[in-house]
Amino acid sequence: MKVKAESLFERASALHAQAVSSFNQSSSTATSNKSEYAFLQKILQSGTLSDRLSALTLLVQSSPLHNTKALDALKGLAERGKGKGGRGESLKALRCIIDWWIGGGAPDRKLKYFRDQPLTSPKIDDAQLLEWYFEDWLKKYFFSVLQILENVAADSLPYVRTQTLTLICNLLRSKPEQEHNLLKLLVNKLGDAEKQVCSRASYHILQVLQTHPSMKSVIIREVTSLILSPLTVAKGKNTANEHVRYYAAITLNQIFLQPGEYSVAVQLIDVYFRLFEDLLGEGIVVENEEDTYGKLISAILTGVNRALPFAKLDTTEASFYKHIDTLFRITHTSTFNISLQSLVLIQHLSSSLASQPGSSLSSSRSQSIVDRYYRALYSSLHDGRLASSSKQTMYLNLLFKSLKTDSDIGRVASFVRRFIQMLVSGGAGGTEFVVGGLYLLGEVFSTLPGLRPLLQGTPSSPELEVYDPRKRDPQFAKASASPLYELLPLLHHYHPTVSLHARQLLSSQPITSSPDLTLNTLSHFLDRFVYKNPKKQKPKGTSAMQPAASATDSTGVKRVKGEVSGGALPNDAKFWKKRVEDVPVDEVFFHRYFSRKNRGQTAPAGRDAGSEGEESTKSDSGVSDDDGADSGQQSDEEGFSDAEEAAVWKAMKATMPHEKGEGALLEEDDDELLSDPDAVSTAILDGEEALEANPDEDELGDGISLAEESDDDDLVAVDDIPDDLIEYDGLDAGTEQDDEEEWGGISGGDKRKRKDERQTKRKKRRTLPTFATYEEYARMIEEGPEDDI
């Protein structure tokens, strides 16, 4: 049989050589004539790299069977060291080969070697032998190309390795040839020294799973063999790549599972717990969540939470309880956030165990796991790391879910009492945590009626029992022995929402609050002063990666990211015109502030406008006859506004430029001047008469401040104002007046002349009216030319 196969192979080889020779001697090819073929040969000899690659690709596409030399030339360009282009030439040549392979160069099945063909068949002809020979040559050719890809994937430049991963992924997604070796090359890059290459390899693996979902078990097995391989130890240190397990874990926990894939889910959970055992066997104690091991454990716990709803675990096996012990060890040796994730996972397992019927032995073991879980959760209430944790919302929801499903009322009472002690002490974080905790306590009291005696002062325990807060097990703390006195300090909390919720709890009223924790943060308080409409949050769908989380009870606290809409803006009239009783307690501050501010601004305008203005102000502000308290408050604000105006007037007066005589005038009684405008005019006239009676003082002022006098000449005295309108003298009047008032020097006989002119102007000012009537203005508009309007 072997001799016959060798003879058939030699015959097929001769047939192929004869076919190639006859093809080259022919005048035309399948796609070009003789002149075009000669042009391609000339490009191959003297063309650029891109031209040669294009020419070789055209030859291969025309007839791969007869252009094996062109394929060998492309492979030669792809090999490093045989071309002058270096890495760029190698990548371009490999891209040409793979594009041709994917675009139709290879069939959609695995190729066969010549020896694997049915050589014993009696119906073998030369055409079939030639086809089998070329398939054998093509399979060997692709394996050699795969070896080149392996060498290029180990290049020292991350860019070259990243481009190689893209080529490997395209081959794996399109053709099944050498898929095992291609998958191995792709998975091995999860342990690359560069993080970006590891991340890219993880992305390509998930892309392959989208194209071929049936490869989940194969890929999980390949990743498992990589991360659970024997580790090499050198000089007491683990030399295994730190990126392998982390990027493998985040790749596995992103595998999309569907109902019915129980074997895949169990396979994933087994890999996760084996990773846990390796980490704990190395004696690792996680102190920082941001380090490599902290992120690895977090990724593993995420994967377990995602795979657990799809898996059917056998609780009778010893391996299951071994996994539970591993989780409990993580809760005591890791950071708070990682411990919290472990508690979430244990709670899910314990609730599933409590709902499964079984034998007495299995039920006792399940009950021991439940009791152990509640002891761990009870001790976490005194963990000081909770105040600085970023997962306070997750912790509150876990606590609420655990208390709601617990059938032991005494244990729930111990949790409630210790939780309120933590809220009162202030060691749990900000005000939003306290508000969220009281909100969930209201839900617990409404769900479990057996807790109400704690609020009513009628303990359900015997009188001899005393509450012991030092017990490790909440079942034996005897929390029902006394009323819930720990809630009393919250009645006097500085935050109005906290004190309101405490009163509602003591009076057994429903909690009137929102489950959103961000509504009670300092940032939300400051955002109310932005005075803009918040953006509307786009609704998000359910999580495809965590269907169990999407199907949980809607009761629980949450944090809404982005701007939160709180109704009307605080500076809007719809808000500050509300009654105080209709305003939430946490917004009373805004209501009082903007009510005083806006009503204080509208009060002076109402006084100046008379009775008509008072009616309009009253209608605009929405004040009715029934609002007596509001009107009294408004009058107080008006008085406060008058005091503000007096202070402003004093400040303006202190900075106002004035002459010596006027300075004495402004220092008189201010209250009398502000309250009576006629007194102001009389005082100004008295000051002018005093200046006329003392000409020497005026002359001294003329010699010192000429600029002030020039400004004063432009003013019109009150006594000089005429009863009628001032006639228009034309443009030349001002020029003649300027000529008459031409200054002749500082000293001389012109001083008396200028003084007399100034007194004459003052007399004219006193005869002028202060304001013109409506009819006079109308007559000026009608009689005046249109251009002067």
Side-chain angles (χ1 to χ4, degrees):
M1 179 66 183
K2 185 177 180 180
V3 176
K4 183 179 180 180
E6 292 178 355
S7 62
L8 289 176
F9 184 79
E10 292 177 358
R11 180 182 174 185
S13 178
L15 290 173
H16 179 262
Q18 183 180 0
V20 171
S21 177
S22 60
F23 178 83
N24 293 333
Q25 294 177 0
S26 62
S27 60
S28 63
T29 63
T31 59
S32 62
N33 53 30
K34 187 175 182 179
S35 61
E36 293 178 354
Y37 181 77
F39 177 71
L40 291 176
Q41 294 297 327
K42 185 178 180 180
I43 290 178
L44 292 175
Q45 294 176 2
S46 60
T48 61
L49 175 62
S50 300
D51 295 338
R52 283 183 289 156
L53 291 175
S54 300
L56 290 173
T57 304
L58 288 175
L59 290 175
V60 171
Q61 290 177 352
S62 62
S63 178
L65 178 65
H66 303 94
N67 288 283
T68 54
K69 291 184 178 180
L71 287 172
D72 289 333
L74 285 174
K75 187 180 70 172
L77 292 175
E79 292 178 353
R80 294 290 304 277
K82 293 187 177 181
K84 298 180 181 180
R87 295 184 176 92
E89 177 181 333
S90 178
L91 288 175
K92 289 180 180 179
L94 284 173
R95 192 175 293 111
C96 290
I97 296 173
I98 293 172
D99 290 343
W100 166 77
W101 185 270
I102 296 173
D108 293 333
R109 60 174 178 84
K110 290 187 177 182
L111 300 177
K112 295 182 179 180
Y113 288 106
F114 189 83
R115 61 178 179 270
D116 297 331
Q117 300 291 348
L119 301 176
T120 58
S121 177
K123 300 180 180 179
I124 299 177
D125 53 1
D126 292 344
Q128 200 165 13
L129 285 176
L130 183 60
E131 181 182 351
W132 289 349
Y133 174 81
F134 179 72
E135 185 176 351
D136 179 83
W137 182 90
L138 196 60
K139 187 175 182 66
K140 295 176 182 178
Y141 175 82
F142 184 76
F143 184 76
S144 62
V145 172
L146 194 61
Q147 290 177 333
I148 298 174
L149 279 174
E150 183 179 6
N151 294 331
V152 177
D155 193 89
S156 58
L157 293 181
Y159 171 77
V160 178
R161 299 200 298 270
T162 304
Q163 296 298 317
T164 308
L165 288 179
T166 304
L167 298 177
I168 293 174
C169 177
N170 293 336
L171 286 173
L172 194 56
R173 295 176 64 182
S174 302
K175 300 296 180 180
E177 181 63 26
Q178 296 291 338
E179 60 181 1
H180 179 72
N181 291 329
L182 289 171
L183 180 61
K184 194 171 184 179
L185 283 177
L186 188 59
V187 170
N188 285 340
K189 300 311 291 183
L190 290 173
D192 194 89
E194 295 289 336
K195 294 182 179 180
Q196 56 181 354
V197 179
C198 299
S199 177
R200 200 65 183 175
S202 175
Y203 168 77
H204 285 311
I205 290 173
L206 296 176
Q207 292 295 314
V208 172
L209 282 177
Q210 290 184 2
T211 308
H212 304 288
S214 58
M215 293 182 64
K216 292 178 182 178
S217 299
V218 178
I219 291 179
I220 294 173
R221 184 172 64 249
E222 193 66 32
V223 174
T224 304
S225 63
L226 175 67
I227 60 179
L228 298 180
S229 58
L231 303 178
T232 58
V233 180
K235 296 181 180 181
K237 294 184 178 180
N238 185 4
T239 59
N241 198 320
E242 296 180 355
H243 304 300
V244 176
R245 291 187 289 194
Y246 173 69
Y247 283 99
I250 64 175
T251 302
L252 294 177
N253 66 20
Q254 294 182 73
I255 294 178
F256 183 75
L257 299 176
Q258 295 180 350
E261 296 180 339
Y262 307 115
S263 59
V264 178
V266 172
Q267 188 179 3
L268 285 173
I269 292 177
D270 184 63
V271 173
Y272 294 143
F273 281 105
R274 289 176 68 180
L275 277 175
F276 274 139
E277 294 173 359
D278 290 346
L279 292 175
L280 297 176
E282 296 174 6
I284 296 174
V285 178
V286 180
E287 298 179 356
N288 184 10
E289 190 181 0
E290 298 299 327
D291 60 6
T292 303
Y293 293 106
K295 293 189 292 185
L296 174 59
I297 293 178
S298 179
I300 294 173
L301 288 174
T302 302
V304 174
N305 282 314
R306 289 177 177 177
L308 193 61
F310 300 96
K312 291 183 178 180
L313 299 178
D314 189 3
T315 57
T316 59
E317 295 182 358
S319 60
F320 174 78
Y321 295 97
K322 187 177 180 181
H323 295 337
I324 296 294
D325 293 338
T326 302
L327 291 176
F328 276 112
R329 289 179 61 186
I330 293 174
T331 59
H332 299 293
T333 58
S334 301
T335 62
F336 182 82
N337 289 351
I338 294 177
S339 301
L340 179 58
Q341 288 181 321
S342 301
L343 288 174
V344 171
L345 184 56
I346 297 173
Q347 191 274 336
H348 183 76
L349 292 174
S350 61
S351 61
S352 62
L353 288 175
S355 60
Q356 290 181 0
S359 60
S360 58
L361 178 61
S362 61
S363 60
S364 62
R365 297 184 67 177
S366 301
Q367 186 62 34
S368 65
I369 292 176
V370 173
D371 295 340
R372 188 179 177 184
Y373 162 71
Y374 279 103
R375 285 197 302 269
L377 184 62
Y378 189 66
S379 63
S380 68
L381 288 172
H382 279 172
D383 197 332
R385 298 173 295 178
L386 175 59
S388 58
S389 175
S390 60
K391 298 184 180 297
Q392 293 181 352
T393 305
M394 181 187 295
Y395 184 83
L396 288 175
N397 291 330
L398 174 63
L399 183 63
F400 170 71
K401 189 185 299 183
S402 303
L403 297 182
K404 189 175 65 172
T405 56
D406 192 8
S407 58
D408 192 344
I409 298 298
R411 182 162 56 192
V412 175
S414 300
F415 270 95
V416 170
R417 190 177 288 272
R418 175 171 285 192
F419 183 60
I420 294 179
Q421 293 172 359
M422 179 185 63
L423 296 181
V424 173
S425 63
T431 307
E432 66 275 9
F433 186 86
V434 181
V435 174
L438 292 177
Y439 173 81
L440 292 182
L441 283 177
E443 297 294 333
V444 170
F445 277 101
S446 61
T447 305
L448 303 176
L451 296 176
R452 293 179 181 176
L454 290 175
L455 301 175
Q456 298 172 356
T458 56
S460 58
S461 302
E463 297 181 358
L464 298 178
E465 294 185 355
V466 180
Y467 169 62
D468 188 2
R470 296 171 295 179
K471 293 291 185 181
R472 293 179 60 250
D473 196 334
Q475 289 180 332
F476 306 103
K478 301 176 183 179
S480 302
S482 61
L484 199 60
Y485 296 116
E486 292 85 352
L487 193 60
L488 296 179
L490 295 179
L491 294 175
H492 308 285
H493 198 273
Y494 69 91
H495 199 279
T497 305
V498 176
S499 58
L500 175 64
H501 290 352
R503 290 194 301 269
Q504 291 173 343
L505 276 179
L506 288 176
S507 58
S508 299
Q509 297 179 358
I511 302 297
T512 57
S513 178
S514 172
D516 186 10
L517 296 183
T518 57
L519 296 179
N520 298 284
T521 57
L522 178 60
S523 60
H524 177 71
F525 175 81
L526 297 176
D527 287 342
R528 297 296 301 272
F529 292 95
V530 179
Y531 307 149
K532 68 176 183 178
N533 295 323
K535 298 179 181 178
K536 295 182 179 180
Q537 296 294 323
K538 296 181 180 180
K540 297 181 179 180
T542 58
S543 175
M545 300 298 296
Q546 293 178 314
S550 303
T552 54
D553 191 3
S554 59
T555 304
V557 295
K558 58 185 178 180
R559 283 185 181 270
V560 178
K561 295 183 179 179
E563 298 179 352
V564 183
S565 177
L569 297 177
N571 61 339
D572 192 357
K574 296 180 180 179
F575 175 77
W576 58 267
K577 287 181 181 179
K578 291 181 180 179
R579 297 186 301 174
V580 181
E581 295 80 7
D582 300 335
V583 179
V585 291
D586 58 332
E587 298 180 1
V588 172
F589 167 78
F590 300 101
H591 185 267
R592 291 178 179 175
Y593 174 78
F594 287 102
S595 296
R596 294 177 181 178
K597 179 180 178 182
N598 291 283
R599 290 172 181 170
Q601 291 177 354
T602 57
R607 292 198 307 271
D608 296 338
S611 60
E612 182 179 357
E614 289 177 0
E615 294 177 359
S616 62
T617 304
K618 185 175 180 180
S619 61
D620 293 340
S621 60
V623 180
S624 60
D625 296 336
D626 299 334
D627 298 334
D630 294 342
S631 62
Q633 183 181 3
Q634 183 176 356
S635 63
D636 297 339
E637 292 166 355
E638 292 175 358
F640 180 72
S641 179
D642 292 339
E644 286 183 347
E645 290 180 0
V648 171
W649 169 250
K650 289 181 180 180
M652 293 174 61
K653 181 188 65 175
T655 58
M656 185 182 301
H658 55 269
E659 296 183 2
K660 187 174 181 179
E662 293 176 317
L665 172 67
L666 293 175
E667 290 177 358
E668 294 182 359
D669 191 4
D670 296 331
D671 297 334
E672 196 176 273
L673 293 176
L674 290 173
S675 60
D676 191 0
D678 297 333
V680 177
S681 302
T682 306
I684 293 175
L685 296 176
D686 295 339
E688 292 177 352
E689 293 176 358
L691 289 175
E692 295 176 1
N694 192 1
D696 297 336
E697 185 177 355
D698 191 274
E699 292 176 2
L700 181 60
D702 293 337
I704 294 176
S705 57
L706 298 176
E708 294 181 0
E709 291 179 77
S710 63
D711 294 337
D712 186 65
D713 292 341
D714 298 334
L715 301 177
V716 179
V718 178
D719 296 338
D720 296 339
I721 299 175
D723 297 334
D724 202 352
L725 293 175
I726 302 175
E727 295 182 359
Y728 179 70
D729 296 336
L731 299 176
D732 298 333
T735 306
E736 295 175 357
Q737 186 178 1
D738 293 339
D739 296 339
E740 294 176 358
E741 296 180 358
E742 185 177 357
W743 182 53
I746 296 179
S747 62
D750 296 336
K751 291 184 178 180
R752 178 62 59 182
K753 181 180 179 181
R754 286 189 286 102
K755 180 180 178 181
D756 295 338
E757 292 176 354
R758 185 165 58 254
Q759 292 178 357
T760 305
K761 290 180 182 179
R762 288 175 180 172
K763 291 180 180 180
K764 291 180 179 180
R765 295 173 194 164
R766 295 170 186 173
T767 60
L768 294 176
T770 305
F771 299 102
T773 61
Y774 171 77
E775 293 79 3
E776 292 171 346
Y777 278 115
R779 181 165 50 82
M780 287 181 63
I781 294 174
E782 293 176 357
E783 296 177 356
E786 187 174 354
D787 295 337
D788 295 339
I789 295 178

